Amino acid sequence: MDWSIQEIAKIAGTTSRTLRHYDDIGLLKPSRTGPSGYRYYDGPALVQLQRIILLRELGLGLPAIAEVLGRETDTIKALTSHLEWLAREQDRLTRQIASVRQTIDTMKGDGQYMAQNMFDGFDHTQYKDEVEEHWGKEAYAASDSWWRGMSAEEQQQWKDRMQKLGADWISAADSGVSPASAEAQDLARRHVEWLRGIPGTPSAVPGGDVKGYVTGLGEMYVADPRFAANYGGESGATFVRDALRVYAEKNL
Amino acid sequence: MDWSIQEIAKIAGTTSRTLRHYDDIGLLKPSRTGPSGYRYYDGPALVQLQRIILLRELGLGLPAIAEVLGRETDTIKALTSHLEWLAREQDRLTRQIASVRQTIDTMKGDGQYMAQNMFDGFDHTQYKDEVEEHWGKEAYAASDSWWRGMSAEEQQQWKDRMQKLGADWISAADSGVSPASAEAQDLARRHVEWLRGIPGTPSAVPGGDVKGYVTGLGEMYVADPRFAANYGGESGATFVRDALRVYAEKNL
DNA sequence: ATAGAGGTTGACGTTACGTCAAGGTCAAGA
DNA sequence: TCTTGACCTTGACGTAACGTCAACCTCTAT
């Protein structure tokens, strides 16, 4: 007694296409094949199929299932390592959700965001990976220990200075002057001086590529809304970038 | 002043292949193309690229990013709906992790598992979706309200009865008798009677396909380790299935 | 015999690129 | 000027697990 492909598909709650796929990759062969090529499945095949479906619902990949079915791997081992993978995925998702929320808040113009961040718009712990990737691990470690080494008051002073600079940039951009104007260039000078105060960055080490660093940073201000928010949005960030570029070409 | 494909790739922290891909799908065209077909990118292109990369890191798909860049969709809207998707994914992962943990515990032979479960090896709330899919929504609703309607004592009695049945099956299987033997057939009779006590199942309604239900259930016992655990593992479950099949053929 | 349900083997589509492969192009030194 | 090595180009396949036609054959009941 056996069933046609659609019959077991219904019994097991799957589709005939899936059965053919499993046949193609050798995961589950029909117990019998008719002279016309029709596939037929019997009881033991149904059991295997249900086992496969159960493991699939748990998220295991077909190769892993094949190993389990082939007795090459213990089911418990397979599920345990799968569980680790799931946990990592969950962790990644959680981080990503936090990042997306942050970005949305920033773009909504949440005023608190700026006050809560430092290190040129970034909270180190939040954006550790990002900072490391862009400026190197040493840069992150250096600026991190520098930041932690400051007292709360010093940190507050630093934040205030940053806010002041941001506010001045915004008003300069709003006033309609050119990025090459004396006012803007003075702000650029202040900005670079300020950057020199952050250890680990090229602007703080002798012989560092200050020019490249500053212009690159300008591009980043424009591209990343989280930075741009510190300078009044994209238009403001564009102004800052242009002013920095002019300044870097002339003086660095 | 512009950069070659590898240069911006490095600046932005991506690969030239990615750049070509973005060109192919029209997401980011080079600002200039040399007579030899070489791609060159300028400042604005770099800004766009960095924006793309930022959104990609947040998990947005390329079509969604294209919409945002094409001003067809608000970035905040795109991120908000993306956030919903992320939340659903996280939820799914959480459920899957719980299922995998359960399965592992069961297969490790955790004795508590059986005692904590009911409804023929299933905890309804845990396996709501599974039960609904296999036996229908009405079946779940009916048995759920039936179970909730019982007092704690009645629930305990039910569990005890189930445990007794499971234990008897295991000892019968261990004794080496045939599934068609009188002992096994008597257990099968008890099993079916017991099933008739669960409302909403085909075995409880007049005219229900009791035979199909019972044999199908037998297959499930073998295929699903969470069920099989109630009958001493796969070999025990196989014995139960065979006995039930014989019984169903003869009497249902 | 015939219709209609059901089965078979391709083969493309999906996501965002990684990874060859085969063959032009560019910049710099001999 | 020629050569060489680094860099660029356009295909095209692979990835996970099937969904979805398309073109054509088979089974079953009337």
Side-chain angles (χ1 to χ4, degrees):
Chain A
M1 170 210 181
D2 48 17
W3 302 281
S4 73
I5 194 166
Q6 289 234 16
E7 285 167 351
I8 23 146
K10 270 179 200 157
I11 292 172
T14 184
T15 70
S16 59
R17 176 67 179 88
T18 298
L19 270 297
R20 280 186 213 103
H21 182 58
Y22 291 167
D23 187 5
D24 287 346
I25 65 175
L27 181 58
L28 181 66
K29 296 285 182 190
S31 54
R32 183 169 72 82
T33 305
S36 60
Y38 278 30
R39 296 173 175 83
Y40 297 96
Y41 298 80
D42 60 9
L46 174 58
V47 170
Q48 284 286 74
L49 176 56
Q50 286 174 313
R51 232 199 284 265
I52 292 169
I53 291 175
L54 172 69
L55 293 174
R56 274 262 57 208
E57 286 171 355
L58 294 177
L60 256 79
L62 298 187
I65 294 176
E67 278 190 10
V68 170
L69 263 58
R71 311 281 183 192
E72 294 164 19
T73 304
D74 186 7
T75 307
I76 291 183
K77 274 187 193 169
L79 285 179
T80 303
S81 68
H82 178 52
L83 189 58
E84 288 171 17
W85 150 263
L86 286 174
R88 281 195 300 275
E89 275 297 293
Q90 198 185 29
D91 199 50
R92 197 177 58 77
L93 261 185
T94 302
R95 291 174 190 284
Q96 208 168 55
I97 286 173
S99 292
V100 173
R101 285 226 175 87
Q102 274 278 4
T103 304
I104 290 175
D105 286 349
T106 300
M107 299 189 69
K108 278 185 178 168
D110 184 330
Q112 289 200 309
Y113 179 74
M114 207 175 112
Q116 284 171 357
N117 290 342
M118 74 304 301
F119 188 37
D120 200 8
F122 272 147
D123 168 79
H124 322 38
T125 50
Q126 180 81 31
Y127 297 108
K128 183 168 185 285
D129 293 346
E130 214 157 335
V131 169
E132 283 185 355
E133 194 175 334
H134 267 280
W135 315 113
K137 285 208 171 194
E138 330 74 53
Y140 174 77
S143 63
D144 186 57
S145 65
W146 157 76
W147 179 258
R148 288 182 194 285
M150 285 199 277
S151 70
E153 275 176 47
E154 286 171 322
Q155 290 187 350
Q156 189 56 50
Q157 283 180 8
W158 184 266
K159 286 185 195 174
D160 289 345
R161 192 176 166 196
M162 198 186 103
Q163 282 204 31
K164 181 74 168 48
L165 186 56
D168 289 349
W169 272 120
I170 293 175
S171 61
D174 285 350
S175 74
V177 299
S178 142
S181 67
E183 297 96 302
Q185 288 302 300
D186 191 55
L187 278 171
R189 187 189 49 74
R190 274 177 60 196
H191 200 100
V192 172
E193 274 180 20
W194 172 66
L195 287 172
R196 289 193 194 277
I198 304 175
T201 62
S203 55
V205 293
D209 178 15
V210 190
K211 184 174 170 184
Y213 175 66
V214 170
T215 53
L217 208 55
E219 297 295 348
M220 207 159 157
Y221 291 162
V222 178
D224 193 323
R226 292 172 300 192
F227 278 112
N230 295 327
Y231 305 104
E234 192 187 334
S235 60
T238 304
F239 180 82
V240 175
R241 181 201 60 183
D242 292 341
L244 286 178
R245 191 181 286 166
V246 170
Y247 182 81
E249 288 295 336
K250 278 193 195 166
N251 306 295
L252 300 179
Chain B
M1 171 209 180
D2 49 15
W3 302 281
S4 73
I5 194 166
Q6 287 233 16
E7 285 167 351
I8 26 146
K10 270 178 201 159
I11 293 172
T14 184
T15 68
S16 58
R17 176 66 179 89
T18 299
L19 270 298
R20 279 186 215 105
H21 183 57
Y22 290 167
D23 187 6
D24 287 346
I25 65 175
L27 181 58
L28 181 67
K29 296 285 182 189
S31 54
R32 183 168 73 80
T33 305
S36 61
Y38 278 29
R39 296 173 176 83
Y40 297 95
Y41 298 80
D42 59 10
L46 175 58
V47 171
Q48 283 287 74
L49 176 57
Q50 286 174 313
R51 233 199 284 266
I52 292 169
I53 291 175
L54 173 68
L55 294 173
R56 274 260 59 208
E57 285 170 356
L58 295 177
L60 256 80
L62 297 187
I65 293 176
E67 278 191 10
V68 170
L69 263 59
R71 313 279 182 194
E72 294 164 19
T73 304
D74 186 6
T75 307
I76 292 183
K77 274 186 192 167
L79 286 179
T80 303
S81 69
H82 178 52
L83 190 57
E84 289 171 17
W85 151 264
L86 286 174
R88 282 196 298 275
E89 275 297 294
Q90 197 185 30
D91 199 51
R92 197 177 59 78
L93 261 185
T94 303
R95 292 174 190 284
Q96 208 169 54
I97 286 173
S99 292
V100 173
R101 285 225 175 86
Q102 275 279 4
T103 305
I104 290 174
D105 286 350
T106 300
M107 299 189 71
K108 277 186 179 168
D110 184 329
Q112 290 198 311
Y113 180 75
M114 205 175 112
Q116 285 170 355
N117 289 342
M118 73 306 299
F119 188 38
D120 201 7
F122 272 146
D123 167 80
H124 324 37
T125 50
Q126 180 79 31
Y127 297 107
K128 183 167 186 284
D129 293 347
E130 214 157 335
V131 169
E132 282 185 357
E133 192 175 335
H134 267 281
W135 314 116
K137 285 209 172 196
E138 331 73 52
Y140 174 76
S143 62
D144 186 58
S145 65
W146 157 76
W147 179 257
R148 289 182 193 286
M150 285 200 276
S151 69
E153 276 177 48
E154 287 171 322
Q155 290 186 349
Q156 190 56 50
Q157 283 181 5
W158 184 267
K159 286 186 195 174
D160 289 345
R161 192 176 166 194
M162 199 185 101
Q163 282 204 32
K164 181 74 166 50
L165 186 56
D168 288 349
W169 272 121
I170 291 174
S171 61
D174 284 350
S175 74
V177 299
S178 143
S181 67
E183 298 96 302
Q185 289 302 300
D186 190 55
L187 277 170
R189 186 188 49 72
R190 275 176 60 195
H191 200 101
V192 172
E193 275 180 18
W194 171 66
L195 287 173
R196 290 192 194 278
I198 304 175
T201 62
S203 55
V205 293
D209 179 15
V210 189
K211 184 175 171 183
Y213 174 66
V214 169
T215 53
L217 209 55
E219 297 295 347
M220 206 159 155
Y221 291 161
V222 177
D224 193 322
R226 292 172 301 192
F227 277 112
N230 294 327
Y231 304 104
E234 192 187 333
S235 61
T238 304
F239 180 83
V240 175
R241 180 200 61 183
D242 293 342
L244 286 177
R245 190 181 287 167
V246 170
Y247 182 81
E249 288 296 335
K250 278 193 194 164
N251 306 294
L252 300 179

